[in-house]
Amino acid sequence: MPGTALITGVTGQDGTYLAQLLLSKGYHVYGLVRGQNNPRLEAVGRLCPGIEFMEGDLLDHSSLVAALEAAQPTEVYNLGAISFVGLSFKQALLTGEVTGLGVVRVLEAIRSVNPAIRLYQASSSEMFGKVRETPQTELTAFHPRSPYGVAKVYGHHITVNYRESYGMFACSGILFNHESPRRGLEFVTRKITNAAAKIKLGLQKELHLGNLDSQRDWGFAGDYVEAMHLMMLQPEPDDFVIATGATHSVREFCEIAFSHLGLNYRDHVVSDDARFLRPAEVDLLIGDASKAKRVLGWQPRVPFGELVTMMVDADLAAQQKIMRIEAAG
Ligand code: NAP
Ligand code: F7E
């Protein structure tokens, strides 16, 4: 029987896919929104008809308690975070507060309002960082390479700690990179697909990127939110790696995105731009999701090439729409 879910980070990429999934299953869905006039609110309301919004901030414990008291959720999905690794180097303290300590604020709020509420914590493959083994599993040691990765390690361990200390249903999904047309423009995949579309339409000439050699295990966000929900349906809380098991370089991503539009990325991409290089890099990630496949019955559905072309097509259509509106007005 579907329950009531509260999602932090509902205005982000995963938040809208997860809200749509839970609404389609008959859940009553609340989205926690920060700020007095969040610019993403209207779009989320349009994408997720039936969702209800609550005010709250991961920096403000009492706002989390108030949201839980008002919503009385059976499940909380903690997706809220400063999630951009590049920004985390520039705003390390804020990242620690939101992405790290925000998790214990949620756990404490649950413990005081209703410890029976189930919690999903959005852990990350960035926790593996300078990888100790390949592929990475639930048992691979962590070696984070950014303030974001360090904050996620704290969030991960504190979730396990509350599960073990207080018997709470608190689980973590160790998700590898997942993308979609809703991905923020600051992340490399969407930056590439958006630029390729603009270059095709003559709106941009060059694309400045950092390290083209880093490799990621990229999947589709729509597939990954299904894994979050499956974890919450288990009889016991546990942690799961969610990944495709294939890795590709930023360069390969560029090649496929540009060639889909009949372009050669070499004619447009400027690499090693110092603005986009990081003080410490994560060179290679590739996940082993065998446990999720075995226990949850989860499978990724969208392969890499299809993911890239889906994003390019969406950006091309969006840019063409803007051009039509500008031409008409
Ligand atoms: P995203 O698009 O960057 O969304 C982040 C969300 O966090 C936004 O809704 C943002 O809301 C919210 N947020 C930021 N600061 C907050 C605060 N102080 N209080 C409450 N909410 C706050 O991230 P995503 O890609 O959807 O990822 C969802 C979660 O999964 C994140 O925790 C991320 O770290 C983690 N994760 C992502 C990936 C991936 O590849 N996408 C992989 C592993 C783990 P505003 O609208 O107010 O800014
Ligand atoms: O970088 C390189 C960059 O910012 C991917 C977040 O969702 O996934 C994401 O973190 C790679 C890195 O994602 C540019 O150096 C080159 O090696 O798209 P990204 P990320 O750092 O992997 C994990 C799993 C999360 O948990 C995070 O929340 O691409 N790269 N040139 C660039 N990256 C960016 N952003 N911009 C460039 O110009």
Side-chain angles (χ1 to χ4, degrees):
M1 160 110 170
T4 300
L6 176 75
I7 303 171
T8 76
V10 77
T11 53
Q13 171 188 252
D14 292 4
T16 54
Y17 282 108
L18 179 65
Q20 287 176 322
L21 176 76
L22 296 175
L23 286 163
S24 75
K25 291 185 181 295
Y27 274 76
H28 191 165
V29 179
Y30 289 95
L32 191 85
V33 177
R34 74 176 168 138
Q36 59 189 43
N37 183 18
N38 192 304
R40 293 266 305 136
L41 208 60
E42 204 187 317
V44 178
R46 233 182 300 116
L47 284 168
C48 310
I51 193 168
E52 285 193 58
F53 296 113
M54 298 230 150
E55 293 162 359
D57 196 307
L58 289 167
L59 295 173
D60 187 319
H61 173 72
S62 63
S63 73
L64 300 174
V65 171
L68 292 182
E69 280 173 347
Q72 293 292 324
T74 48
E75 298 172 13
V76 171
Y77 293 83
N78 183 38
L79 309 186
I82 303 280
S83 80
F84 183 39
V85 171
L87 181 68
S88 80
F89 284 104
K90 295 173 184 154
Q91 299 187 10
L93 295 179
L94 182 64
T95 303
E97 281 288 350
V98 178
T99 306
L101 288 177
V103 185
V104 76
R105 289 191 193 97
V106 172
L107 283 159
E108 274 298 305
I110 290 176
R111 204 159 76 88
S112 65
V113 173
N114 176 6
I117 296 170
R118 293 185 168 209
L119 174 70
Y120 171 85
Q121 166 56 21
S123 286
S124 165
S125 54
E126 281 293 299
M127 302 189 303
F128 298 122
K130 194 173 163 68
V131 297
R132 303 284 179 87
E133 61 178 351
T134 296
Q136 295 85 52
T137 74
E138 293 80 6
L139 301 176
T140 303
F142 299 143
H143 186 147
R145 295 274 279 172
S146 64
Y148 168 80
V150 173
K152 282 289 179 187
V153 170
Y154 173 81
H156 185 81
H157 284 314
I158 200 73
T159 300
V160 174
N161 179 256
Y162 271 52
R163 176 165 86 212
E164 293 176 352
S165 304
Y166 307 115
M168 290 167 62
F169 190 107
C171 61
S172 286
I174 306 176
L175 270 53
F176 283 61
N177 298 55
H178 46 281
E179 319 292 315
S180 73
R182 299 182 197 168
R183 188 60 144 149
L185 284 163
E186 64 273 36
F187 300 96
V188 78
T189 54
R190 183 76 200 293
K191 184 174 168 182
I192 295 167
T193 59
N194 185 58
K198 284 179 137 181
I199 290 169
K200 177 71 183 174
L201 296 171
L203 301 169
Q204 186 174 326
K205 281 197 161 47
E206 289 183 336
L207 168 61
H208 288 254
L209 295 174
N211 175 15
L212 299 191
D213 295 319
S214 52
Q215 290 173 261
R216 292 290 183 275
D217 181 333
W218 277 298
F220 172 54
D223 291 346
Y224 285 39
V225 298
E226 288 180 9
M228 298 176 187
H229 181 234
L230 287 169
M231 285 177 220
M232 294 288 248
L233 299 181
Q234 296 310 299
E236 298 296 332
D238 204 349
D239 306 321
F240 294 89
V241 160
I242 300 298
T244 70
T247 194
H248 300 274
S249 65
V250 174
R251 190 183 307 281
E252 277 175 85
F253 196 106
C254 289
E255 267 171 12
I256 298 177
F258 279 79
S259 70
H260 184 57
L261 296 174
L263 301 168
N264 185 337
Y265 85 94
R266 289 184 190 82
D267 297 336
H268 305 282
V269 170
V270 180
S271 65
D272 291 336
D273 185 322
R275 286 173 298 167
F276 306 115
L277 296 173
R278 294 172 180 174
E281 180 61 283
V282 173
D283 297 320
L284 167 71
L285 291 174
I286 178 164
D288 176 353
S290 312
K291 181 177 166 187
K293 288 176 184 166
R294 192 179 67 250
V295 178
L296 306 176
W298 177 83
Q299 284 280 357
R301 279 193 280 261
V302 178
F304 178 67
E306 203 178 300
L307 172 68
V308 180
T309 55
M310 174 209 302
M311 292 176 69
V312 172
D313 289 342
D315 274 317
L316 189 69
Q319 288 302 332
Q320 285 169 330
K321 189 174 169 191
I322 293 170
M323 286 171 82
R324 275 197 305 276
I325 292 168
E326 283 174 355

